[in-house]
Amino acid sequence: MHTAVDGARVPIRMWADPQSVEDAAMRQLHNVANLPWVQGLAVMPDVHYGKGATVGSVIAMREAVSPAAVGVDIGCGMSAVRTSLTATDLPDDLGVLRRRIESAVPVGFAMHRTPVNPARVPGTGGWQQFWSGFAHLHPGVRDMQDRARAQLGTLGGGNHFIEVCLEQSGPDADRVWLMLHSGSRGIGNELAKRHIDIARRLPHNADLPDPDLAVFVAGTPEMQAYRRDLFWAQDYAARNRATMLSLVQLALADVVPGTRFDTPISCHHNYVAEEVHDGVEVLVTRKGAIRAGSGDLGIIPGSMGTGSYIVRGLGNTRSFESASHGAGRRMSRTKARKTFTEADLAAQTAGVECRKDGGVVDEIPAAYKDIESVIAAQTDLVEVVTHLKQVICVKG
């Protein structure tokens, strides 16, 4: 259930304990809630400090949008698919499957030598129209099309991952799932940074409490250009995940012939949508949040050692029909690297086939909030469909 925090132009509706939110994040929430364009603000249980706006924010604005509040990984999100396999169908040496996935999907800074043929990505269409839109993007990215094509179907680094998971209970216990987390790669990042810089220079943003909250307003060429690039990048992110999921499905089917797959689940958790709430047309920015309309299927992952949840939205209007996007960090990457060792990482990811080296210590489970507590804090936003636990985790 939520708590309303006063002291702002609109109420701050929180599904997190206000006492547990760091001071810097609370200041960000108050800054956002006092913006003249804001219709409402909902705060998810995985909330933590971010650039301009906290991660774990749902910001409804009238005729305005803040590009920094959207973030630089436009369209970042999750995809998952249930397979016909159970745990006993997987190879005894899970390293075999992990290496097959890593050979199919470039990770980190790597990209495909040859762009993935769209024919290998079932369930998608409109590729010619999509790529034709590249010519209309911000002029500063026009020379990036070859790179964007080569990066489509790649994971990236940071907290992005590909996992093989098992259902934990119920009639389908030990059923195998595939899951992945990624966004709009380099092209989304470049578009975001350019528009954030443009917004900061606009006169109407001169007196904001935080320059990272600079907005574009409706009826301006700057807003029109940002919306065009934003929605294109969100489409790219969705196609990137669909392409990766197709490649991972093929990798699994190569290792375990005859594998079948259900209809995939996919959701953005870093994006903008045009919606109507309380009879008002608004632009809803979900920065570290998923849409949880009535019946919507969503994915809420934990860390690389703690498992994830498939959920169904309950359509709670007070959260603008939203829910959390994951466990959320409880410490910075820098602090995690200073606090934990490779031995700690190995201990906390015991039983998971994954990297256990210093390059991913900042992704150690202890650097994240407890996913069980995050789920428990939003029982009025989503209902749990199933609980998954990873047995393979691929990191960039």
Side-chain angles (χ1 to χ4, degrees), residues 131-178:
W131 283 117
S132 68
F134 201 99
H136 305 291
L137 300 179
H138 188 286
V141 305
R142 298 282 170 79
D143 63 347
M144 290 182 60
Q145 184 166 2
D146 288 345
R147 179 183 170 195
R149 286 180 179 271
Q151 284 193 325
L152 192 77
T154 67
L155 184 65
N159 62 355
H160 294 164
F161 63 78
I162 300 168
E163 291 183 340
V164 178
C165 306
L166 303 178
E167 288 200 43
Q168 293 301 287
S169 61
D172 284 322
D174 280 346
R175 179 70 70 93
V176 175
W177 286 66
L178 301 177

mmCIF file of all heavy atoms in Angstrom, residues 131-178:
data_model
loop_
_atom_site.group_PDB
_atom_site.id
_atom_site.type_symbol
_atom_site.label_atom_id
_atom_site.label_comp_id
_atom_site.label_asym_id
_atom_site.label_seq_id
_atom_site.Cartn_x
_atom_site.Cartn_y
_atom_site.Cartn_z
ATOM 1 N N TRP A 131 13.666 1.263 -40.307
ATOM 2 C CA TRP A 131 14.998 1.765 -40.657
ATOM 3 C C TRP A 131 14.915 3.031 -41.501
ATOM 4 O O TRP A 131 15.839 3.873 -41.443
ATOM 5 C CB TRP A 131 15.802 0.688 -41.362
ATOM 6 C CG TRP A 131 16.342 -0.344 -40.418
ATOM 7 C CD1 TRP A 131 16.048 -1.674 -40.391
ATOM 8 C CD2 TRP A 131 17.281 -0.126 -39.354
ATOM 9 N NE1 TRP A 131 16.730 -2.297 -39.371
ATOM 10 C CE2 TRP A 131 17.502 -1.374 -38.723
ATOM 11 C CE3 TRP A 131 17.947 1.007 -38.870
ATOM 12 C CZ2 TRP A 131 18.356 -1.522 -37.633
ATOM 13 C CZ3 TRP A 131 18.801 0.868 -37.786
ATOM 14 C CH2 TRP A 131 19.007 -0.388 -37.173
ATOM 15 N N SER A 132 13.854 3.218 -42.255
ATOM 16 C CA SER A 132 13.724 4.455 -43.035
ATOM 17 C C SER A 132 13.601 5.666 -42.115
ATOM 18 O O SER A 132 13.955 6.787 -42.498
ATOM 19 C CB SER A 132 12.521 4.382 -43.980
ATOM 20 O OG SER A 132 11.300 4.388 -43.254
ATOM 21 N N GLY A 133 13.124 5.448 -40.883
ATOM 22 C CA GLY A 133 13.018 6.531 -39.927
ATOM 23 C C GLY A 133 14.351 7.052 -39.440
ATOM 24 O O GLY A 133 14.422 8.155 -38.871
ATOM 25 N N PHE A 134 15.410 6.288 -39.654
ATOM 26 C CA PHE A 134 16.725 6.711 -39.187
ATOM 27 C C PHE A 134 17.143 8.034 -39.823
ATOM 28 O O PHE A 134 17.792 8.871 -39.183
ATOM 29 C CB PHE A 134 17.769 5.628 -39.492
ATOM 30 C CG PHE A 134 18.998 5.728 -38.633
ATOM 31 C CD1 PHE A 134 19.147 4.923 -37.521
ATOM 32 C CD2 PHE A 134 20.005 6.622 -38.949
ATOM 33 C CE1 PHE A 134 20.277 5.031 -36.712
ATOM 34 C CE2 PHE A 134 21.136 6.729 -38.160
ATOM 35 C CZ PHE A 134 21.277 5.936 -37.034
ATOM 36 N N ALA A 135 16.764 8.240 -41.072
ATOM 37 C CA ALA A 135 17.165 9.452 -41.792
ATOM 38 C C ALA A 135 16.569 10.710 -41.185
ATOM 39 O O ALA A 135 17.051 11.818 -41.464
ATOM 40 C CB ALA A 135 16.749 9.341 -43.260
ATOM 41 N N HIS A 136 15.554 10.576 -40.342
ATOM 42 C CA HIS A 136 14.887 11.736 -39.765
ATOM 43 C C HIS A 136 15.313 12.000 -38.320
ATOM 44 O O HIS A 136 14.803 12.931 -37.686
ATOM 45 C CB HIS A 136 13.373 11.544 -39.823
ATOM 46 C CG HIS A 136 12.863 11.268 -41.219
ATOM 47 N ND1 HIS A 136 12.861 12.213 -42.210
ATOM 48 C CD2 HIS A 136 12.380 10.122 -41.768
ATOM 49 C CE1 HIS A 136 12.368 11.684 -43.320
ATOM 50 N NE2 HIS A 136 12.076 10.423 -43.084
ATOM 51 N N LEU A 137 16.239 11.190 -37.793
ATOM 52 C CA LEU A 137 16.692 11.390 -36.417
ATOM 53 C C LEU A 137 17.606 12.609 -36.315
ATOM 54 O O LEU A 137 17.967 13.225 -37.320
ATOM 55 C CB LEU A 137 17.424 10.135 -35.923
ATOM 56 C CG LEU A 137 16.627 8.827 -35.905
ATOM 57 C CD1 LEU A 137 17.517 7.683 -35.411
ATOM 58 C CD2 LEU A 137 15.383 8.952 -35.029
ATOM 59 N N HIS A 138 17.979 12.937 -35.077
ATOM 60 C CA HIS A 138 18.872 14.066 -34.817
ATOM 61 C C HIS A 138 20.086 13.994 -35.761
ATOM 62 O O HIS A 138 20.689 12.919 -35.917
ATOM 63 C CB HIS A 138 19.330 14.025 -33.360
ATOM 64 C CG HIS A 138 20.095 15.229 -32.935
ATOM 65 N ND1 HIS A 138 21.397 15.465 -33.339
ATOM 66 C CD2 HIS A 138 19.748 16.273 -32.130
ATOM 67 C CE1 HIS A 138 21.821 16.598 -32.805
ATOM 68 N NE2 HIS A 138 20.840 17.112 -32.084
ATOM 69 N N PRO A 139 20.469 15.112 -36.404
ATOM 70 C CA PRO A 139 21.596 15.077 -37.351
ATOM 71 C C PRO A 139 22.889 14.533 -36.757
ATOM 72 O O PRO A 139 23.713 13.964 -37.488
ATOM 73 C CB PRO A 139 21.756 16.551 -37.748
ATOM 74 C CG PRO A 139 20.405 17.159 -37.531
ATOM 75 C CD PRO A 139 19.832 16.442 -36.343
ATOM 76 N N GLY A 140 23.060 14.659 -35.442
ATOM 77 C CA GLY A 140 24.293 14.203 -34.814
ATOM 78 C C GLY A 140 24.480 12.702 -34.795
ATOM 79 O O GLY A 140 25.584 12.225 -34.489
ATOM 80 N N VAL A 141 23.430 11.930 -35.135
ATOM 81 C CA VAL A 141 23.562 10.464 -35.118
ATOM 82 C C VAL A 141 23.453 9.867 -36.514
ATOM 83 O O VAL A 141 23.441 8.647 -36.663
ATOM 84 C CB VAL A 141 22.510 9.812 -34.185
ATOM 85 C CG1 VAL A 141 22.588 10.382 -32.787
ATOM 86 C CG2 VAL A 141 21.097 9.943 -34.743
ATOM 87 N N ARG A 142 23.363 10.708 -37.522
ATOM 88 C CA ARG A 142 23.109 10.205 -38.875
ATOM 89 C C ARG A 142 24.194 9.253 -39.366
ATOM 90 O O ARG A 142 23.946 8.425 -40.237
ATOM 91 C CB ARG A 142 22.971 11.379 -39.850
ATOM 92 C CG ARG A 142 21.801 12.308 -39.526
ATOM 93 C CD ARG A 142 20.454 11.769 -39.952
ATOM 94 N NE ARG A 142 19.354 12.553 -39.419
ATOM 95 C CZ ARG A 142 18.945 13.714 -39.932
ATOM 96 N NH1 ARG A 142 19.544 14.224 -40.988
ATOM 97 N NH2 ARG A 142 17.926 14.349 -39.383
ATOM 98 N N ASP A 143 25.435 9.390 -38.831
ATOM 99 C CA ASP A 143 26.518 8.512 -39.276
ATOM 100 C C ASP A 143 26.613 7.228 -38.446
ATOM 101 O O ASP A 143 27.570 6.476 -38.582
ATOM 102 C CB ASP A 143 27.857 9.253 -39.224
ATOM 103 C CG ASP A 143 28.234 9.676 -37.813
ATOM 104 O OD1 ASP A 143 27.364 9.614 -36.924
ATOM 105 O OD2 ASP A 143 29.398 10.080 -37.604
ATOM 106 N N MET A 144 25.601 6.973 -37.596
ATOM 107 C CA MET A 144 25.640 5.814 -36.703
ATOM 108 C C MET A 144 24.776 4.654 -37.183
ATOM 109 O O MET A 144 24.609 3.677 -36.461
ATOM 110 C CB MET A 144 25.201 6.215 -35.292
ATOM 111 C CG MET A 144 26.185 7.099 -34.543
ATOM 112 S SD MET A 144 25.603 7.457 -32.859
ATOM 113 C CE MET A 144 25.506 5.798 -32.166
ATOM 114 N N GLN A 145 24.212 4.736 -38.375
ATOM 115 C CA GLN A 145 23.260 3.705 -38.786
ATOM 116 C C GLN A 145 23.916 2.335 -38.900
ATOM 117 O O GLN A 145 23.337 1.322 -38.470
ATOM 118 C CB GLN A 145 22.582 4.064 -40.096
ATOM 119 C CG GLN A 145 21.509 3.039 -40.488
ATOM 120 C CD GLN A 145 20.589 3.544 -41.585
ATOM 121 O OE1 GLN A 145 20.756 4.637 -42.082
ATOM 122 N NE2 GLN A 145 19.616 2.735 -41.954
ATOM 123 N N ASP A 146 25.113 2.260 -39.466
ATOM 124 C CA ASP A 146 25.782 0.962 -39.582
ATOM 125 C C ASP A 146 26.032 0.364 -38.202
ATOM 126 O O ASP A 146 25.839 -0.850 -37.992
ATOM 127 C CB ASP A 146 27.104 1.095 -40.344
ATOM 128 C CG ASP A 146 26.903 1.335 -41.828
ATOM 129 O OD1 ASP A 146 25.773 1.125 -42.313
ATOM 130 O OD2 ASP A 146 27.871 1.757 -42.490
ATOM 131 N N ARG A 147 26.453 1.201 -37.253
ATOM 132 C CA ARG A 147 26.684 0.721 -35.888
ATOM 133 C C ARG A 147 25.373 0.277 -35.244
ATOM 134 O O ARG A 147 25.320 -0.764 -34.573
ATOM 135 C CB ARG A 147 27.333 1.823 -35.050
ATOM 136 C CG ARG A 147 27.592 1.438 -33.599
ATOM 137 C CD ARG A 147 28.161 2.612 -32.833
ATOM 138 N NE ARG A 147 28.197 2.356 -31.395
ATOM 139 C CZ ARG A 147 28.382 3.306 -30.483
ATOM 140 N NH1 ARG A 147 28.557 4.566 -30.856
ATOM 141 N NH2 ARG A 147 28.390 3.012 -29.204
ATOM 142 N N ALA A 148 24.303 1.048 -35.455
ATOM 143 C CA ALA A 148 23.008 0.692 -34.870
ATOM 144 C C ALA A 148 22.506 -0.638 -35.418
ATOM 145 O O ALA A 148 21.926 -1.452 -34.686
ATOM 146 C CB ALA A 148 21.988 1.800 -35.132
ATOM 147 N N ARG A 149 22.733 -0.877 -36.694
ATOM 148 C CA ARG A 149 22.325 -2.157 -37.283
ATOM 149 C C ARG A 149 23.146 -3.303 -36.692
ATOM 150 O O ARG A 149 22.610 -4.381 -36.405
ATOM 151 C CB ARG A 149 22.494 -2.109 -38.797
ATOM 152 C CG ARG A 149 21.451 -1.275 -39.527
ATOM 153 C CD ARG A 149 21.699 -1.286 -41.023
ATOM 154 N NE ARG A 149 20.732 -0.519 -41.776
ATOM 155 C CZ ARG A 149 19.569 -0.985 -42.261
ATOM 156 N NH1 ARG A 149 19.253 -2.262 -42.048
ATOM 157 N NH2 ARG A 149 18.747 -0.221 -42.937
ATOM 158 N N ALA A 150 24.452 -3.068 -36.512
ATOM 159 C CA ALA A 150 25.320 -4.121 -35.975
ATOM 160 C C ALA A 150 25.051 -4.382 -34.502
ATOM 161 O O ALA A 150 25.276 -5.499 -34.006
ATOM 162 C CB ALA A 150 26.785 -3.745 -36.181
ATOM 163 N N GLN A 151 24.564 -3.377 -33.772
ATOM 164 C CA GLN A 151 24.288 -3.564 -32.348
ATOM 165 C C GLN A 151 22.898 -4.130 -32.087
ATOM 166 O O GLN A 151 22.613 -4.544 -30.954
ATOM 167 C CB GLN A 151 24.444 -2.237 -31.596
ATOM 168 C CG GLN A 151 25.884 -1.826 -31.374
ATOM 169 C CD GLN A 151 26.014 -0.693 -30.373
ATOM 170 O OE1 GLN A 151 25.172 0.188 -30.295
ATOM 171 N NE2 GLN A 151 27.089 -0.710 -29.603
ATOM 172 N N LEU A 152 22.038 -4.161 -33.086
ATOM 173 C CA LEU A 152 20.705 -4.729 -32.883
ATOM 174 C C LEU A 152 20.842 -6.225 -32.621
ATOM 175 O O LEU A 152 21.410 -6.968 -33.432
ATOM 176 C CB LEU A 152 19.836 -4.491 -34.117
ATOM 177 C CG LEU A 152 18.350 -4.777 -33.898
ATOM 178 C CD1 LEU A 152 17.708 -3.634 -33.122
ATOM 179 C CD2 LEU A 152 17.632 -4.936 -35.240
ATOM 180 N N GLY A 153 20.343 -6.652 -31.474
ATOM 181 C CA GLY A 153 20.505 -8.047 -31.074
ATOM 182 C C GLY A 153 21.747 -8.263 -30.240
ATOM 183 O O GLY A 153 22.315 -9.356 -30.249
ATOM 184 N N THR A 154 22.182 -7.220 -29.505
ATOM 185 C CA THR A 154 23.339 -7.329 -28.617
ATOM 186 C C THR A 154 22.949 -6.895 -27.218
ATOM 187 O O THR A 154 22.034 -6.092 -27.025
ATOM 188 C CB THR A 154 24.520 -6.482 -29.116
ATOM 189 O OG1 THR A 154 24.202 -5.083 -29.035
ATOM 190 C CG2 THR A 154 24.862 -6.834 -30.558
ATOM 191 N N LEU A 155 23.695 -7.394 -26.232
ATOM 192 C CA LEU A 155 23.300 -7.226 -24.836
ATOM 193 C C LEU A 155 23.773 -5.921 -24.220
ATOM 194 O O LEU A 155 23.030 -5.262 -23.494
ATOM 195 C CB LEU A 155 23.837 -8.406 -24.015
ATOM 196 C CG LEU A 155 23.444 -8.438 -22.545
ATOM 197 C CD1 LEU A 155 21.940 -8.621 -22.385
ATOM 198 C CD2 LEU A 155 24.187 -9.570 -21.822
ATOM 199 N N GLY A 156 25.035 -5.543 -24.451
ATOM 200 C CA GLY A 156 25.618 -4.428 -23.721
ATOM 201 C C GLY A 156 26.180 -4.905 -22.386
ATOM 202 O O GLY A 156 26.395 -6.103 -22.180
ATOM 203 N N GLY A 157 26.438 -3.973 -21.480
ATOM 204 C CA GLY A 157 27.037 -4.312 -20.194
ATOM 205 C C GLY A 157 26.214 -3.805 -19.031
ATOM 206 O O GLY A 157 25.001 -3.676 -19.112
ATOM 207 N N GLY A 158 26.906 -3.508 -17.913
ATOM 208 C CA GLY A 158 26.214 -3.006 -16.728
ATOM 209 C C GLY A 158 25.282 -4.036 -16.133
ATOM 210 O O GLY A 158 25.667 -5.179 -15.905
ATOM 211 N N ASN A 159 24.035 -3.624 -15.907
ATOM 212 C CA ASN A 159 23.076 -4.542 -15.294
ATOM 213 C C ASN A 159 22.273 -5.337 -16.319
ATOM 214 O O ASN A 159 21.303 -6.014 -15.971
ATOM 215 C CB ASN A 159 22.127 -3.777 -14.352
ATOM 216 C CG ASN A 159 21.292 -2.742 -15.089
ATOM 217 O OD1 ASN A 159 21.453 -2.510 -16.284
ATOM 218 N ND2 ASN A 159 20.397 -2.095 -14.368
ATOM 219 N N HIS A 160 22.655 -5.275 -17.588
ATOM 220 C CA HIS A 160 21.970 -6.063 -18.611
ATOM 221 C C HIS A 160 22.383 -7.529 -18.498
ATOM 222 O O HIS A 160 23.518 -7.838 -18.129
ATOM 223 C CB HIS A 160 22.290 -5.529 -20.003
ATOM 224 C CG HIS A 160 21.747 -4.155 -20.239
ATOM 225 N ND1 HIS A 160 22.171 -3.353 -21.268
ATOM 226 C CD2 HIS A 160 20.813 -3.435 -19.565
ATOM 227 C CE1 HIS A 160 21.528 -2.210 -21.234
ATOM 228 N NE2 HIS A 160 20.697 -2.229 -20.201
ATOM 229 N N PHE A 161 21.457 -8.428 -18.804
ATOM 230 C CA PHE A 161 21.753 -9.854 -18.632
ATOM 231 C C PHE A 161 20.866 -10.712 -19.519
ATOM 232 O O PHE A 161 19.834 -10.265 -20.016
ATOM 233 C CB PHE A 161 21.575 -10.279 -17.172
ATOM 234 C CG PHE A 161 20.159 -10.131 -16.642
ATOM 235 C CD1 PHE A 161 19.167 -11.054 -16.952
ATOM 236 C CD2 PHE A 161 19.815 -9.067 -15.814
ATOM 237 C CE1 PHE A 161 17.873 -10.925 -16.469
ATOM 238 C CE2 PHE A 161 18.522 -8.929 -15.322
ATOM 239 C CZ PHE A 161 17.555 -9.856 -15.654
ATOM 240 N N ILE A 162 21.307 -11.948 -19.703
ATOM 241 C CA ILE A 162 20.503 -13.024 -20.291
ATOM 242 C C ILE A 162 20.514 -14.165 -19.286
ATOM 243 O O ILE A 162 21.582 -14.511 -18.759
ATOM 244 C CB ILE A 162 21.087 -13.518 -21.627
ATOM 245 C CG1 ILE A 162 21.159 -12.381 -22.646
ATOM 246 C CG2 ILE A 162 20.263 -14.680 -22.181
ATOM 247 C CD1 ILE A 162 21.980 -12.723 -23.874
ATOM 248 N N GLU A 163 19.348 -14.745 -19.007
ATOM 249 C CA GLU A 163 19.290 -15.818 -18.017
ATOM 250 C C GLU A 163 18.477 -17.004 -18.514
ATOM 251 O O GLU A 163 17.538 -16.846 -19.303
ATOM 252 C CB GLU A 163 18.677 -15.312 -16.703
ATOM 253 C CG GLU A 163 19.560 -14.330 -15.960
ATOM 254 C CD GLU A 163 18.975 -13.892 -14.633
ATOM 255 O OE1 GLU A 163 17.748 -14.024 -14.432
ATOM 256 O OE2 GLU A 163 19.755 -13.395 -13.793
ATOM 257 N N VAL A 164 18.867 -18.165 -18.037
ATOM 258 C CA VAL A 164 18.047 -19.363 -18.114
ATOM 259 C C VAL A 164 17.556 -19.609 -16.694
ATOM 260 O O VAL A 164 18.359 -19.684 -15.757
ATOM 261 C CB VAL A 164 18.851 -20.571 -18.626
ATOM 262 C CG1 VAL A 164 17.969 -21.820 -18.650
ATOM 263 C CG2 VAL A 164 19.434 -20.281 -20.003
ATOM 264 N N CYS A 165 16.232 -19.703 -16.537
ATOM 265 C CA CYS A 165 15.630 -19.761 -15.198
ATOM 266 C C CYS A 165 14.716 -20.979 -15.070
ATOM 267 O O CYS A 165 14.263 -21.548 -16.069
ATOM 268 C CB CYS A 165 14.798 -18.498 -14.930
ATOM 269 S SG CYS A 165 15.657 -16.936 -15.167
ATOM 270 N N LEU A 166 14.425 -21.312 -13.821
ATOM 271 C CA LEU A 166 13.494 -22.401 -13.512
ATOM 272 C C LEU A 166 12.355 -21.863 -12.657
ATOM 273 O O LEU A 166 12.577 -21.088 -11.717
ATOM 274 C CB LEU A 166 14.200 -23.522 -12.746
ATOM 275 C CG LEU A 166 15.416 -24.174 -13.400
ATOM 276 C CD1 LEU A 166 15.997 -25.230 -12.469
ATOM 277 C CD2 LEU A 166 15.053 -24.783 -14.758
ATOM 278 N N GLU A 167 11.122 -22.290 -12.975
ATOM 279 C CA GLU A 167 9.988 -21.978 -12.096
ATOM 280 C C GLU A 167 10.209 -22.663 -10.760
ATOM 281 O O GLU A 167 10.703 -23.796 -10.685
ATOM 282 C CB GLU A 167 8.676 -22.438 -12.713
ATOM 283 C CG GLU A 167 8.229 -21.587 -13.882
ATOM 284 C CD GLU A 167 6.749 -21.742 -14.174
ATOM 285 O OE1 GLU A 167 5.944 -21.755 -13.208
ATOM 286 O OE2 GLU A 167 6.397 -21.845 -15.368
ATOM 287 N N GLN A 168 9.790 -21.984 -9.680
ATOM 288 C CA GLN A 168 10.133 -22.446 -8.342
ATOM 289 C C GLN A 168 9.039 -23.229 -7.629
ATOM 290 O O GLN A 168 9.309 -23.875 -6.626
ATOM 291 C CB GLN A 168 10.541 -21.238 -7.472
ATOM 292 C CG GLN A 168 11.839 -20.599 -7.926
ATOM 293 C CD GLN A 168 12.991 -21.585 -7.890
ATOM 294 O OE1 GLN A 168 13.477 -21.947 -6.829
ATOM 295 N NE2 GLN A 168 13.430 -22.039 -9.066
ATOM 296 N N SER A 169 7.807 -23.180 -8.109
ATOM 297 C CA SER A 169 6.742 -23.889 -7.393
ATOM 298 C C SER A 169 5.554 -24.089 -8.317
ATOM 299 O O SER A 169 5.545 -23.623 -9.463
ATOM 300 C CB SER A 169 6.317 -23.095 -6.150
ATOM 301 O OG SER A 169 5.820 -21.815 -6.522
ATOM 302 N N GLY A 170 4.531 -24.760 -7.806
ATOM 303 C CA GLY A 170 3.308 -24.967 -8.559
ATOM 304 C C GLY A 170 3.402 -26.135 -9.521
ATOM 305 O O GLY A 170 4.386 -26.872 -9.544
ATOM 306 N N PRO A 171 2.373 -26.300 -10.343
ATOM 307 C CA PRO A 171 2.318 -27.459 -11.249
ATOM 308 C C PRO A 171 3.428 -27.441 -12.301
ATOM 309 O O PRO A 171 3.750 -28.480 -12.874
ATOM 310 C CB PRO A 171 0.940 -27.327 -11.908
ATOM 311 C CG PRO A 171 0.568 -25.880 -11.752
ATOM 312 C CD PRO A 171 1.177 -25.449 -10.460
ATOM 313 N N ASP A 172 3.999 -26.275 -12.566
ATOM 314 C CA ASP A 172 5.068 -26.179 -13.561
ATOM 315 C C ASP A 172 6.428 -25.984 -12.921
ATOM 316 O O ASP A 172 7.349 -25.427 -13.546
ATOM 317 C CB ASP A 172 4.800 -25.028 -14.535
ATOM 318 C CG ASP A 172 3.719 -25.372 -15.547
ATOM 319 O OD1 ASP A 172 3.689 -26.529 -15.993
ATOM 320 O OD2 ASP A 172 2.909 -24.493 -15.875
ATOM 321 N N ALA A 173 6.594 -26.429 -11.676
ATOM 322 C CA ALA A 173 7.899 -26.311 -11.015
ATOM 323 C C ALA A 173 8.983 -26.948 -11.863
ATOM 324 O O ALA A 173 8.785 -28.028 -12.440
ATOM 325 C CB ALA A 173 7.843 -26.968 -9.642
ATOM 326 N N ASP A 174 10.109 -26.262 -11.952
ATOM 327 C CA ASP A 174 11.280 -26.669 -12.739
ATOM 328 C C ASP A 174 11.115 -26.464 -14.237
ATOM 329 O O ASP A 174 11.982 -26.862 -15.016
ATOM 330 C CB ASP A 174 11.674 -28.128 -12.461
ATOM 331 C CG ASP A 174 12.479 -28.274 -11.179
ATOM 332 O OD1 ASP A 174 12.945 -27.243 -10.658
ATOM 333 O OD2 ASP A 174 12.642 -29.409 -10.712
ATOM 334 N N ARG A 175 10.016 -25.808 -14.667
ATOM 335 C CA ARG A 175 9.891 -25.458 -16.086
ATOM 336 C C ARG A 175 10.957 -24.414 -16.418
ATOM 337 O O ARG A 175 11.211 -23.487 -15.648
ATOM 338 C CB ARG A 175 8.496 -24.910 -16.386
ATOM 339 C CG ARG A 175 8.276 -24.483 -17.836
ATOM 340 C CD ARG A 175 8.218 -25.660 -18.783
ATOM 341 N NE ARG A 175 6.994 -26.416 -18.581
ATOM 342 C CZ ARG A 175 5.878 -26.209 -19.265
ATOM 343 N NH1 ARG A 175 5.823 -25.271 -20.196
ATOM 344 N NH2 ARG A 175 4.808 -26.945 -19.039
ATOM 345 N N VAL A 176 11.564 -24.547 -17.592
ATOM 346 C CA VAL A 176 12.654 -23.659 -18.000
ATOM 347 C C VAL A 176 12.110 -22.414 -18.693
ATOM 348 O O VAL A 176 11.232 -22.505 -19.561
ATOM 349 C CB VAL A 176 13.622 -24.394 -18.947
ATOM 350 C CG1 VAL A 176 14.698 -23.444 -19.481
ATOM 351 C CG2 VAL A 176 14.267 -25.587 -18.234
ATOM 352 N N TRP A 177 12.636 -21.259 -18.302
ATOM 353 C CA TRP A 177 12.335 -19.978 -18.938
ATOM 354 C C TRP A 177 13.632 -19.354 -19.447
ATOM 355 O O TRP A 177 14.698 -19.579 -18.886
ATOM 356 C CB TRP A 177 11.712 -19.000 -17.950
ATOM 357 C CG TRP A 177 10.283 -19.255 -17.575
ATOM 358 C CD1 TRP A 177 9.787 -20.318 -16.880
ATOM 359 C CD2 TRP A 177 9.173 -18.397 -17.836
ATOM 360 N NE1 TRP A 177 8.433 -20.190 -16.699
ATOM 361 C CE2 TRP A 177 8.029 -19.014 -17.277
ATOM 362 C CE3 TRP A 177 9.022 -17.177 -18.492
ATOM 363 C CZ2 TRP A 177 6.768 -18.436 -17.349
ATOM 364 C CZ3 TRP A 177 7.763 -16.594 -18.564
ATOM 365 C CH2 TRP A 177 6.649 -17.222 -18.012
ATOM 366 N N LEU A 178 13.499 -18.538 -20.482
ATOM 367 C CA LEU A 178 14.565 -17.646 -20.916
ATOM 368 C C LEU A 178 14.168 -16.213 -20.566
ATOM 369 O O LEU A 178 12.991 -15.852 -20.688
ATOM 370 C CB LEU A 178 14.794 -17.756 -22.424
ATOM 371 C CG LEU A 178 15.179 -19.131 -22.963
ATOM 372 C CD1 LEU A 178 15.294 -19.083 -24.484
ATOM 373 C CD2 LEU A 178 16.478 -19.619 -22.338
#
